[in-house]
Amino acid sequence: MKSILSPVKRRLIRTFSNGSEGVPQWQLDLAEGGDPGYHLPGSAVWAVHGSMSPIVAGIRTLLMQSLHPGALAGVHEHSNFREDPLGRLANTIRWIFTVTYGSTEAAGKASRRVRQLHETVRGTYSDNSGAERAYSANDPELASWIHLTFTDAFLTAHKLWGGSIPGGPNAYVREWAHAGRLMGVEDPPLTEEDMHRQLDRWYDSGELRVDARVAETVEFIRNPPLNRMLRPGYRVLFAGAVYSLEPRYRRMLGLSVPRLGPVALPVRSATKLVLGVVRLALGRRGPSELAARERLRRLGVPATDI
């Protein structure tokens, strides 16, 4: 089985690391540091981010974030996502895994690096009333939308395709609030209920919208420039991300769960199958987690599964 999946593994690693076939140095560096970090083995964050469900969650996050015209303006006007989508993906993965598995110093440094890059991501957009609104990627309100959509997507995807969550959904929301604060979010939710309440406020505010730019973005997310080997699986994962969306957001985005006539296709089980193949190809533990475990052993942190 390993020999059959080895080409898939190589292609997945190159996709997630922007063309590199080896382990990036930043992942190896997670073994360094003088403290355990914000999260430990057995935490909700390790359970969620160490599963395969984040692959679907990442797609869902992008779909949701596109509904905020300020967030979308920042992406379209200040990034090269069309020319270098894998580079953007690799940078996002680096931040997520550093905050998840790194020391508090590494997590803080990675977050400051992102916020420094965001300093120039600013401009204006026309809101739904036609008024000119200023946006900044480091604005706490916009950062709150990004954090909410991320947390909701990762939690929802894990409920559908991951395993159990130590402490339950509230533990994940509470633990990942550290990441929100590192990125300038002033009031990250601490419970699943509070997260949904904040998302409802955004939905009811009238600030979210769908326009031609959103449609263009959704089409790019639906058909990114992936290697041919990965495209069939990605189509299933995209369908899974659509399946995981609340119906109100699916309607806004003009998306629907695939059907064969009146019969809905088995998207949930098909997504589970594809994620299972990815797990077999990549293995149970990735380099970031292994490096973190090495650091924890060096620090003498007691943990039954280190």
Side-chain angles (χ1 to χ4, degrees), residues 63-64 66-69 128 145 202-204 206-211 214-215 218 245-256:
L63 291 171
M64 284 286 291
S66 72
L67 292 171
H68 191 296
N128 291 337
W145 169 250
W202 275 103
Y203 183 82
D204 295 336
E207 293 188 45
L208 307 180
R209 74 158 178 247
V210 174
D211 55 19
V214 174
V218 170
L245 286 168
E246 289 184 44
R248 59 182 177 177
Y249 297 121
R250 282 204 296 266
R251 288 192 295 269
M252 286 187 72
L253 292 164
L255 297 170
S256 59

Side-chain angles (χ1 to χ4, degrees), residues 94-95 98-99 105-115 183:
R94 177 175 179 173
W95 175 77
T98 301
V99 176
E105 180 183 2
K109 183 177 179 181
S111 300
R112 288 191 297 273
R113 173 178 174 271
V114 174
R115 286 173 59 80
M183 294 303 292

Side-chain angles (χ1 to χ4, degrees), residues 46-73:
W46 273 50
V48 172
H49 295 180
S51 71
M52 292 295 106
S53 62
I55 300 175
V56 183
I59 302 170
R60 186 189 196 269
T61 301
L62 294 175
L63 291 171
M64 284 286 291
Q65 289 177 356
S66 72
L67 292 171
H68 191 296
L72 197 57

Side-chain angles (χ1 to χ4, degrees), residues 22-45:
V23 179
Q25 185 61 44
W26 68 263
Q27 290 187 300
L28 299 176
D29 289 344
L30 296 179
E32 305 301 321
D35 64 71
Y38 289 106
H39 312 292
L40 291 170
S43 66
V45 165

Side-chain angles (χ1 to χ4, degrees), residues 11-253:
R11 183 53 59 181
L12 285 169
I13 291 174
R14 293 190 66 182
T15 299
F16 294 142
S17 61
N18 194 24
S20 173
E21 292 192 4
V23 179
Q25 185 61 44
W26 68 263
Q27 290 187 300
L28 299 176
D29 289 344
L30 296 179
E32 305 301 321
D35 64 71
Y38 289 106
H39 312 292
L40 291 170
S43 66
V45 165
W46 273 50
V48 172
H49 295 180
S51 71
M52 292 295 106
S53 62
I55 300 175
V56 183
I59 302 170
R60 186 189 196 269
T61 301
L62 294 175
L63 291 171
M64 284 286 291
Q65 289 177 356
S66 72
L67 292 171
H68 191 296
L72 197 57
V75 171
H76 276 257
E77 297 168 11
H78 295 275
S79 81
N80 59 343
F81 75 96
R82 295 182 188 87
E83 295 79 17
D84 187 25
L86 297 186
R88 183 175 171 82
L89 173 64
N91 287 334
T92 302
I93 290 173
R94 177 175 179 173
W95 175 77
I96 294 170
F97 281 178
T98 301
V99 176
T100 300
Y101 297 114
S103 65
T104 56
E105 180 183 2
K109 183 177 179 181
S111 300
R112 288 191 297 273
R113 173 178 174 271
V114 174
R115 286 173 59 80
Q116 186 174 17
L117 291 172
H118 283 174
E119 277 296 321
T120 59
V121 181
R122 56 180 68 241
T124 61
Y125 68 93
S126 296
D127 67 16
N128 291 337
S129 68
E132 283 293 301
R133 295 275 299 273
Y135 73 84
S136 166
N138 282 336
D139 177 73
E141 184 180 16
L142 188 53
S144 174
W145 169 250
I146 300 301
H147 177 73
L148 285 168
T149 54
F150 179 104
T151 307
D152 182 41
F154 276 63
L155 181 58
T156 300
H158 195 80
K159 284 182 174 181
L160 290 168
W161 295 290
S164 61
I165 302 176
N170 285 342
Y172 177 74
V173 176
R174 182 180 65 254
E175 291 174 16
W176 195 240
H178 287 300
R181 295 188 192 96
L182 287 170
M183 294 303 292
V185 180
E186 294 176 346
D187 185 28
L190 301 178
T191 66
E192 184 180 21
E193 181 182 8
D194 188 24
M195 178 186 71
H196 287 303
R197 188 162 45 243
Q198 291 190 33
L199 283 167
D200 287 343
R201 283 202 296 268
W202 275 103
Y203 183 82
D204 295 336
S205 71
E207 293 188 45
L208 307 180
R209 74 158 178 247
V210 174
D211 55 19
R213 180 176 271 182
V214 174
E216 177 189 350
T217 303
V218 170
E219 189 57 32
F220 185 86
I221 298 169
R222 188 200 304 269
N223 294 296
L226 290 174
N227 179 270
R228 285 178 296 178
M229 182 185 298
L230 302 182
R231 288 176 195 167
Y234 181 84
R235 281 194 285 270
V236 174
L237 298 180
F238 179 85
V242 173
Y243 173 89
S244 74
L245 286 168
E246 289 184 44
R248 59 182 177 177
Y249 297 121
R250 282 204 296 266
R251 288 192 295 269
M252 286 187 72
L253 292 164

